[in-house]
Amino acid sequence: MKQSPAPSLPSAEAALPRLPDRRQSVQSAQTGMVVLKGLANIGGNAGLTALAAHVGESPAKVHRYLVSLMQEGLVDQDPATQRYFLGPELIRIGLAAMRQAEPIRHAEPALIRLRESLEVTCFVAVMGNRGPTIMRIEEPGLPVTVNVRAGSVMSMLWSATGRVFLGLLDEASVRQMAESELAAATDDMRALLPSPDPIGTLQREVRAACCASVRDTYLRGISAVAAPVFDFTGRVCAVITALGASGGFDPSVDGRIAIAVCREAHATSLKLGCVGPPPAAG
């Protein structure tokens, strides 16, 4: 009697489950992030048609990704309006990121780049209870001798650092510090400020340029340029400043140093979650 041949066993390769193509998975993940960021960029609340138009994809394709994002809690949908909005898991992720958004840590690489490219002293300051306080300072190989270091408190009116806080940080305590400095100033110090409204004029100048510069006002023979760092709410949380000897330092708000400082301050702001175009120096 003729026996039927035994069924062949599947090869080891055939027995393994088929894995999705890695490139396809990466591309799918990227598209999902595009949809998620697109939703955030248009206010975190949008209909399918508007969101698809914003990201440049078909509504059907965007809908497929939204379903996946909803399954992970990154997106939610209002059953009454059918509009999509950012979900609870994304909020938790955002809160975790904000807790790590420490301006001093994010400003450190910017200080090093400025020190190396401009060969000037650079520091980052935050607003303390006594005024703008230097938190981290970087000096070039041949530093300019200045009496500032980590922990130094800068003037609100005569330093570029203080003027940025004065112009862009809309808080009563900041104004009070400036008014107290002005009231205690000598006639010679007052002569270095614009008149007849020194505080108001300085605020308007800083708001127009989104940076501040000084020459021989806070420290004789020293010039400086400062630019703001904004957090995710749009509030000034720190100021990056570059300073050097007035003879070889261009403090103009449209000069090379100011442009570099503003660029690094903007890059630091982006790391802290601030959105918007970089402010133009000058």
Side-chain angles (χ1 to χ4, degrees), residues 12-50:
E13 181 178 355
L16 292 174
R18 289 194 64 186
L19 297 177
D21 185 272
R22 182 178 181 275
R23 289 172 296 179
Q24 183 179 358
S25 299
V26 171
Q27 185 177 10
S28 296
Q30 290 175 336
T31 304
M33 292 304 100
V34 168
V35 172
L36 191 58
K37 290 191 290 185
L39 181 58
N41 290 339
I42 57 177
N45 189 316
L48 176 60
T49 303

Short mmCIF file of all heavy atoms in Angstrom, two decimals, residues 12-50:
data_model
loop_
_atom_site.label_atom_id
_atom_site.label_comp_id
_atom_site.label_asym_id
_atom_site.label_seq_id
_atom_site.Cartn_x
_atom_site.Cartn_y
_atom_site.Cartn_z
N ALA A 12 11.98 27.45 9.74
CA ALA A 12 12.07 28.34 10.91
C ALA A 12 11.71 29.77 10.53
O ALA A 12 11.07 30.50 11.28
CB ALA A 12 13.48 28.28 11.49
N GLU A 13 12.11 30.17 9.32
CA GLU A 13 11.83 31.55 8.89
C GLU A 13 10.34 31.76 8.70
O GLU A 13 9.78 32.78 9.06
CB GLU A 13 12.57 31.83 7.59
CG GLU A 13 12.37 33.25 7.07
CD GLU A 13 13.15 33.50 5.80
OE1 GLU A 13 13.92 32.61 5.38
OE2 GLU A 13 12.98 34.59 5.23
N ALA A 14 9.67 30.69 8.10
CA ALA A 14 8.23 30.83 7.86
C ALA A 14 7.44 30.80 9.14
O ALA A 14 6.35 31.35 9.24
CB ALA A 14 7.77 29.72 6.92
N ALA A 15 7.99 30.13 10.19
CA ALA A 15 7.27 30.02 11.45
C ALA A 15 7.26 31.32 12.23
O ALA A 15 6.42 31.53 13.10
CB ALA A 15 7.88 28.91 12.29
N LEU A 16 8.23 32.18 11.97
CA LEU A 16 8.31 33.44 12.71
C LEU A 16 7.22 34.39 12.24
O LEU A 16 6.92 34.46 11.05
CB LEU A 16 9.68 34.08 12.49
CG LEU A 16 10.88 33.35 13.12
CD1 LEU A 16 12.17 34.03 12.71
CD2 LEU A 16 10.75 33.31 14.64
N PRO A 17 6.64 35.16 13.18
CA PRO A 17 5.65 36.15 12.77
C PRO A 17 6.30 37.25 11.95
O PRO A 17 7.44 37.63 12.18
CB PRO A 17 5.12 36.70 14.09
CG PRO A 17 6.22 36.45 15.07
CD PRO A 17 6.87 35.18 14.64
N ARG A 18 5.59 37.74 10.98
CA ARG A 18 6.11 38.81 10.13
C ARG A 18 6.12 40.12 10.89
O ARG A 18 5.11 40.53 11.47
CB ARG A 18 5.27 38.95 8.86
CG ARG A 18 5.44 37.81 7.88
CD ARG A 18 4.85 38.20 6.55
NE ARG A 18 5.58 39.33 5.97
CZ ARG A 18 5.19 39.94 4.85
NH1 ARG A 18 4.10 39.55 4.21
NH2 ARG A 18 5.90 40.96 4.37
N LEU A 19 7.28 40.73 10.92
CA LEU A 19 7.40 42.01 11.59
C LEU A 19 7.12 43.13 10.61
O LEU A 19 7.46 43.03 9.42
CB LEU A 19 8.81 42.18 12.16
CG LEU A 19 9.21 41.16 13.24
CD1 LEU A 19 10.66 41.39 13.66
CD2 LEU A 19 8.29 41.26 14.44
N PRO A 20 6.50 44.20 11.06
CA PRO A 20 6.25 45.32 10.14
C PRO A 20 7.55 45.95 9.70
O PRO A 20 8.54 45.93 10.42
CB PRO A 20 5.43 46.28 11.00
CG PRO A 20 5.76 45.93 12.41
CD PRO A 20 6.01 44.45 12.41
N ASP A 21 7.55 46.42 8.49
CA ASP A 21 8.72 47.10 7.96
C ASP A 21 9.08 48.28 8.85
O ASP A 21 8.23 49.12 9.15
CB ASP A 21 8.45 47.57 6.53
CG ASP A 21 9.69 48.17 5.90
OD1 ASP A 21 9.89 49.39 6.07
OD2 ASP A 21 10.44 47.43 5.28
N ARG A 22 10.35 48.34 9.27
CA ARG A 22 10.76 49.39 10.21
C ARG A 22 10.58 50.77 9.62
O ARG A 22 10.13 51.70 10.29
CB ARG A 22 12.23 49.17 10.61
CG ARG A 22 12.74 50.18 11.63
CD ARG A 22 14.18 49.90 12.02
NE ARG A 22 14.63 50.87 13.00
CZ ARG A 22 15.14 52.06 12.69
NH1 ARG A 22 15.22 52.41 11.42
NH2 ARG A 22 15.54 52.89 13.62
N ARG A 23 10.90 50.91 8.35
CA ARG A 23 10.76 52.22 7.72
C ARG A 23 9.31 52.65 7.69
O ARG A 23 8.98 53.82 7.88
CB ARG A 23 11.34 52.18 6.31
CG ARG A 23 12.86 52.09 6.27
CD ARG A 23 13.37 51.85 4.87
NE ARG A 23 12.90 50.57 4.36
CZ ARG A 23 13.19 50.10 3.14
NH1 ARG A 23 13.91 50.83 2.31
NH2 ARG A 23 12.74 48.93 2.75
N GLN A 24 8.41 51.67 7.45
CA GLN A 24 7.00 52.00 7.43
C GLN A 24 6.51 52.41 8.81
O GLN A 24 5.72 53.34 8.96
CB GLN A 24 6.20 50.80 6.91
CG GLN A 24 4.69 51.06 6.78
CD GLN A 24 3.95 49.86 6.24
OE1 GLN A 24 4.56 48.84 5.93
NE2 GLN A 24 2.65 49.98 6.13
N SER A 25 7.01 51.71 9.86
CA SER A 25 6.62 52.05 11.23
C SER A 25 7.08 53.44 11.60
O SER A 25 6.35 54.21 12.22
CB SER A 25 7.19 51.01 12.19
OG SER A 25 6.69 49.72 11.91
N VAL A 26 8.34 53.74 11.23
CA VAL A 26 8.87 55.06 11.55
C VAL A 26 8.08 56.14 10.83
O VAL A 26 7.74 57.18 11.40
CB VAL A 26 10.37 55.14 11.17
CG1 VAL A 26 10.87 56.58 11.28
CG2 VAL A 26 11.19 54.22 12.08
N GLN A 27 7.76 55.90 9.56
CA GLN A 27 6.99 56.89 8.79
C GLN A 27 5.60 57.08 9.40
O GLN A 27 5.10 58.20 9.47
CB GLN A 27 6.88 56.43 7.34
CG GLN A 27 6.21 57.47 6.44
CD GLN A 27 6.17 57.03 5.00
OE1 GLN A 27 6.47 55.88 4.69
NE2 GLN A 27 5.81 57.93 4.10
N SER A 28 4.97 55.98 9.85
CA SER A 28 3.66 56.09 10.47
C SER A 28 3.74 56.90 11.77
O SER A 28 2.88 57.73 12.05
CB SER A 28 3.10 54.69 10.75
OG SER A 28 2.90 53.98 9.55
N ALA A 29 4.80 56.64 12.56
CA ALA A 29 4.96 57.39 13.80
C ALA A 29 5.17 58.87 13.52
O ALA A 29 4.62 59.74 14.20
CB ALA A 29 6.15 56.83 14.59
N GLN A 30 5.95 59.17 12.47
CA GLN A 30 6.19 60.57 12.11
C GLN A 30 4.90 61.25 11.68
O GLN A 30 4.63 62.39 12.06
CB GLN A 30 7.24 60.65 11.01
CG GLN A 30 8.64 60.28 11.45
CD GLN A 30 9.63 60.26 10.31
OE1 GLN A 30 9.25 60.09 9.15
NE2 GLN A 30 10.90 60.42 10.62
N THR A 31 4.10 60.56 10.89
CA THR A 31 2.83 61.14 10.45
C THR A 31 1.91 61.38 11.64
O THR A 31 1.23 62.40 11.72
CB THR A 31 2.15 60.23 9.42
OG1 THR A 31 3.04 59.98 8.34
CG2 THR A 31 0.88 60.88 8.89
N GLY A 32 1.90 60.43 12.57
CA GLY A 32 1.08 60.62 13.77
C GLY A 32 1.51 61.83 14.56
O GLY A 32 0.67 62.59 15.07
N MET A 33 2.83 62.05 14.65
CA MET A 33 3.32 63.22 15.38
C MET A 33 2.98 64.52 14.63
O MET A 33 2.70 65.54 15.26
CB MET A 33 4.84 63.12 15.56
CG MET A 33 5.28 62.01 16.51
SD MET A 33 4.53 62.14 18.16
CE MET A 33 3.20 60.92 18.03
N VAL A 34 2.98 64.45 13.30
CA VAL A 34 2.59 65.63 12.51
C VAL A 34 1.14 66.00 12.81
O VAL A 34 0.80 67.17 13.00
CB VAL A 34 2.79 65.36 11.01
CG1 VAL A 34 2.11 66.45 10.17
CG2 VAL A 34 4.27 65.31 10.67
N VAL A 35 0.27 65.00 12.88
CA VAL A 35 -1.14 65.26 13.18
C VAL A 35 -1.28 65.81 14.60
O VAL A 35 -2.03 66.78 14.83
CB VAL A 35 -1.96 63.95 13.03
CG1 VAL A 35 -3.39 64.15 13.53
CG2 VAL A 35 -1.97 63.52 11.56
N LEU A 36 -0.55 65.23 15.54
CA LEU A 36 -0.65 65.67 16.93
C LEU A 36 -0.13 67.10 17.09
O LEU A 36 -0.77 67.94 17.73
CB LEU A 36 0.15 64.72 17.81
CG LEU A 36 -0.03 64.86 19.32
CD1 LEU A 36 -1.49 64.67 19.72
CD2 LEU A 36 0.85 63.85 20.06
N LYS A 37 1.02 67.39 16.48
CA LYS A 37 1.56 68.74 16.57
C LYS A 37 0.70 69.74 15.82
O LYS A 37 0.55 70.89 16.23
CB LYS A 37 3.00 68.78 16.05
CG LYS A 37 3.99 68.07 16.96
CD LYS A 37 5.43 68.34 16.57
CE LYS A 37 5.80 67.69 15.28
NZ LYS A 37 7.26 67.86 14.96
N GLY A 38 0.10 69.29 14.71
CA GLY A 38 -0.80 70.16 13.98
C GLY A 38 -2.00 70.56 14.81
O GLY A 38 -2.42 71.73 14.81
N LEU A 39 -2.55 69.61 15.56
CA LEU A 39 -3.67 69.92 16.44
C LEU A 39 -3.26 70.92 17.51
O LEU A 39 -4.01 71.86 17.83
CB LEU A 39 -4.19 68.63 17.08
CG LEU A 39 -5.39 68.76 18.03
CD1 LEU A 39 -6.59 69.38 17.31
CD2 LEU A 39 -5.76 67.39 18.60
N ALA A 40 -2.06 70.74 18.06
CA ALA A 40 -1.58 71.68 19.07
C ALA A 40 -1.35 73.07 18.49
O ALA A 40 -1.67 74.08 19.10
CB ALA A 40 -0.30 71.15 19.71
N ASN A 41 -0.81 73.12 17.27
CA ASN A 41 -0.46 74.40 16.65
C ASN A 41 -1.67 75.25 16.29
O ASN A 41 -1.57 76.48 16.20
CB ASN A 41 0.39 74.17 15.40
CG ASN A 41 1.78 73.67 15.73
OD1 ASN A 41 2.26 73.86 16.84
ND2 ASN A 41 2.42 73.02 14.77
N ILE A 42 -2.83 74.62 16.09
CA ILE A 42 -4.01 75.42 15.73
C ILE A 42 -4.95 75.58 16.93
O ILE A 42 -6.14 75.77 16.78
CB ILE A 42 -4.76 74.82 14.53
CG1 ILE A 42 -5.19 73.37 14.79
CG2 ILE A 42 -3.92 74.91 13.28
CD1 ILE A 42 -6.01 72.79 13.64
N GLY A 43 -4.34 75.50 18.12
CA GLY A 43 -5.09 75.82 19.32
C GLY A 43 -5.51 74.63 20.16
O GLY A 43 -6.15 74.79 21.19
N GLY A 44 -5.17 73.42 19.72
CA GLY A 44 -5.51 72.24 20.51
C GLY A 44 -6.95 71.82 20.42
O GLY A 44 -7.40 70.95 21.18
N ASN A 45 -7.71 72.39 19.50
CA ASN A 45 -9.13 72.06 19.36
C ASN A 45 -9.55 72.37 17.93
O ASN A 45 -9.51 73.53 17.50
CB ASN A 45 -9.96 72.88 20.35
CG ASN A 45 -11.40 72.44 20.41
OD1 ASN A 45 -12.03 72.19 19.39
ND2 ASN A 45 -11.94 72.35 21.62
N ALA A 46 -9.93 71.33 17.17
CA ALA A 46 -10.24 71.57 15.75
C ALA A 46 -11.11 70.44 15.21
O ALA A 46 -11.13 69.33 15.74
CB ALA A 46 -8.96 71.67 14.93
N GLY A 47 -11.82 70.74 14.13
CA GLY A 47 -12.58 69.73 13.40
C GLY A 47 -11.67 68.97 12.46
O GLY A 47 -10.54 69.40 12.16
N LEU A 48 -12.15 67.86 11.95
CA LEU A 48 -11.34 67.01 11.10
C LEU A 48 -10.91 67.72 9.83
O LEU A 48 -9.74 67.66 9.43
CB LEU A 48 -12.12 65.74 10.75
CG LEU A 48 -11.45 64.76 9.78
CD1 LEU A 48 -10.12 64.28 10.35
CD2 LEU A 48 -12.37 63.60 9.46
N THR A 49 -11.83 68.42 9.17
CA THR A 49 -11.51 69.08 7.91
C THR A 49 -10.44 70.14 8.08
O THR A 49 -9.48 70.22 7.30
CB THR A 49 -12.77 69.71 7.30
OG1 THR A 49 -13.78 68.71 7.12
CG2 THR A 49 -12.46 70.37 5.97
N ALA A 50 -10.57 70.96 9.14
CA ALA A 50 -9.59 72.02 9.38
C ALA A 50 -8.23 71.44 9.73
O ALA A 50 -7.19 71.93 9.26
CB ALA A 50 -10.08 72.93 10.51
#
